[in-house]
Amino acid sequence: MTGLLDLPAGRNRCAFVFAGGLSAVVPMPTLGALAVSAAALRNYALTLNAALADTGVYAGALVIGGLVERGDIHQLVTSNPEQFGNVGDRTLDSDEIADGAWALVRRRDRAEDTFSVLG
C-alpha cells in the first residue's frame, strides 16, 4: 500500500480499524441479535483506541449502515429487485468508506467514522 509512505516513521505506522454495522448505535429491532455483537465490536475498538493512545498504535471503528456498492451483497440485492425492491440511490460508495478508514488511520484525531444511508 503506497499510502503508508505518508505516515510518520516509527510506531505510528501500526493501526487497527474495525468495521461494524449501524445497529451498534441505532436501535434496529430486526437486527437485534446482530446489534449486540456490533455494539461490542464498536466498544472494543473505542476502548482499544483509548488504551493505546500513548503507544503510537491507532485503533478505530467504521460504523456502516447501508448497502455497500460493488460488494457481493450489493450485487445480489440489485440483481433481484423483485425480491429486495429497488435500492435506488440508497447505497454507500465503497471508495468513500475506504477513504474514511484511511483518514482515521492517517489523522488519528477521532476514534470512529459513520457511513449511513439514513443521513
Side-chain angles (χ1 to χ4, degrees), residues 1 3-4 7 22 30 40 43-44 48 52 59 61 68 98 107-108:
M1 180 180 232
L4 287 177
L7 287 176
L22 189 63
T30 58
N43 190 52
Y44 176 70
L48 193 57
L52 296 173
V68 179
R107 294 184 195 135
R108 299 168 185 242

Side-chain angles (χ1 to χ4, degrees), residues 46-105:
L46 300 180
T47 300
L48 193 57
N49 179 277
L52 296 173
D54 296 332
T55 69
V57 177
Y58 174 82
L62 291 175
V63 178
I64 302 171
L67 188 59
V68 179
E69 296 171 2
R70 299 189 306 271
D72 293 344
I73 297 172
H74 179 264
Q75 182 179 357
L76 173 71
V77 170
T78 56
S79 67
N80 295 298
E82 64 284 347
Q83 181 177 0
F84 298 105
N86 181 2
V87 296
D89 61 352
R90 296 172 295 149
T91 59
L92 298 171
D93 185 340
S94 56
D95 292 334
E96 288 181 19
I97 295 170
D99 289 345
W102 181 240
L104 286 176
V105 171

Side-chain angles (χ1 to χ4, degrees), residues 3-47:
L4 287 177
L5 299 175
D6 297 335
L7 287 176
R11 295 184 317 181
N12 289 339
R13 295 175 74 95
C14 185
F16 299 94
V17 178
F18 300 91
L22 189 63
S23 62
V25 293
V26 175
M28 298 180 176
T30 58
L31 298 176
L34 179 61
V36 174
S37 59
L41 179 63
R42 176 180 174 264
N43 190 52
Y44 176 70
L46 300 180
T47 300

